[in-house]
Structures are given as C-alpha cells and as structure tokens.
C-alpha cells in the first residue's frame, strides 16, 4: 500500500482527468487503479527516528502550494522518465522536481531505488543555483537508502 499519493492534494483541482479515467475503467477502488498506472510511485524518505522530512516540510506549506507540488510529483510518477521543465537531473542519481509557485520556487530532490521515487529533501529556492547545503542533505539521505 502506498503511504502517500499526490492525488490527495488534487481533489478540488479542476481540469484533471486522472480521477475520471479511473472511474471510467469501472473500478471500485480508485486508489489501486491509479497506483497501477504509475510508472514510478513516490514514497517519502524516512530517517532512523521514523521522521519523514519532506512530508513535514510539505505540511508547513499553504494548501495551494502543496497542491502545485503534488501535481508536479504526480506528473513525474505517471510520466517517468520525464525532463524539463518539470524534472531535471542533478547528477549521480539525484533528480529534482521543479515547481513554480505564485511568488517563489519549490524543489523536491529525489532518487530512484527499486522502481520507486524516494523523496529525499524539499526546499524553497532563494537563488538561481541549488544551494550546496540542500544538495548535501539530499546526497546524504540518498546514501542511506542505497
């Protein structure tokens, strides 16, 4: 069972067809049908204390921002492999999901392990370059899941 699905943020988002497509397939369990269509399901990195830093970071954001980030993560889940502008490789197996919010830019760094997208680190971008400290956090967590 998936512990998180970006579709949780999409219930009131107009124009999305994923829900309609699942309903048209005649399935009684919407979640399992959506999971079956994913090429690479997302899951949160969990540290040794059982905390999920990306989930905690997302909880601190406004609902509209969570929804936008969730849509971009879902785009990667269903469209993998996918490139710019939604996703970009950072090297050595590390990738970023790129989300433009109304007044700022969010990034979720992830790696791929055993056909899963492991969400390692999320942050609000304040400069053009990805900060070295954020890259280091993600690389450290990437080594832990390897």
């Amino acid at each position: 069972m998936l512990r998180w699905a970006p579709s949780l943020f999409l219930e009131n988002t107009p124009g999305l067809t994923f829900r309609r497509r699942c309903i048209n397939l005649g399935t009684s369990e919407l979640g399992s049908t959506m999971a079956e269509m994913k090429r690479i399901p997302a899951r949160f990195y969990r540290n040794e204390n059982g905390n999920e830093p990306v989930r905690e970071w997302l909880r601190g954001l406004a609902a509209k921002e969570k929804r936008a980030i969730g849509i971009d993560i879902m785009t990667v889940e269903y469209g993998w492999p996918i490139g710019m502008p939604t996703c970009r490789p950072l090297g050595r197996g590390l990738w970023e999901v790129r989300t433009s919010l109304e007044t700022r830019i969010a990034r979720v760094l992830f790696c791929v392990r055993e056909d899963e997208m492991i969400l390692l680190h999320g942050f609000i971008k304040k400069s053009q370059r990805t900060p070295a400290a954020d890259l280091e956090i993600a690389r450290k967590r990437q080594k832990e899941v390897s």
Side-chain angles (χ1 to χ4, degrees):
M1 184 171 128
L2 294 175
R3 291 191 334 244
W4 179 77
S7 59
L8 296 175
F9 298 117
L10 305 177
E11 291 181 4
N12 298 320
T13 305
L16 292 174
T17 59
F18 290 113
R19 287 182 164 272
R20 284 194 203 100
R21 187 177 335 154
C22 292
I23 292 169
N24 289 341
L25 290 173
T27 135
S28 61
E29 198 170 321
L30 179 62
S32 67
T33 302
M34 288 182 73
E36 290 169 11
M37 293 185 333
K38 290 180 183 179
R39 292 183 177 183
I40 184 167
R43 88 173 166 84
F44 288 104
Y45 158 82
R46 180 179 283 181
N47 66 21
E48 64 278 350
N49 298 327
N51 298 329
E52 296 172 330
V54 177
R55 184 188 302 264
E56 292 167 11
W57 172 73
L58 283 168
R59 285 182 178 150
L61 299 175
K64 198 172 188 178
E65 294 175 332
K66 287 186 233 184
R67 189 174 300 115
I69 294 167
I71 288 170
D72 286 341
I73 291 171
M74 189 171 78
T75 300
V76 175
E77 286 181 300
Y78 286 92
W80 185 258
I82 192 169
M84 294 287 278
T86 305
C87 187
R88 182 174 77 104
L90 298 175
R92 299 189 327 223
L94 196 62
W95 297 78
E96 72 176 352
V97 175
R98 306 158 48 89
T99 303
S100 293
L101 305 173
E102 283 185 9
T103 60
R104 50 197 191 157
I105 299 168
R107 296 291 187 258
V108 176
L109 305 183
F110 71 94
C111 65
V112 177
R113 292 290 178 263
E114 299 175 12
D115 294 326
E116 285 186 316
M117 174 185 183
I118 313 296
L119 307 177
L120 301 169
H121 182 60
F123 62 98
I124 299 298
K125 199 166 175 188
K126 296 178 180 149
S127 64
Q128 211 161 21
R129 292 184 56 89
T130 302
D134 290 305
L135 278 172
E136 186 59 36
I137 291 169
R139 293 210 188 280
K140 179 180 174 258
R141 292 174 181 170
Q142 181 183 20
K143 288 178 184 174
E144 291 177 26
V145 299
S146 295

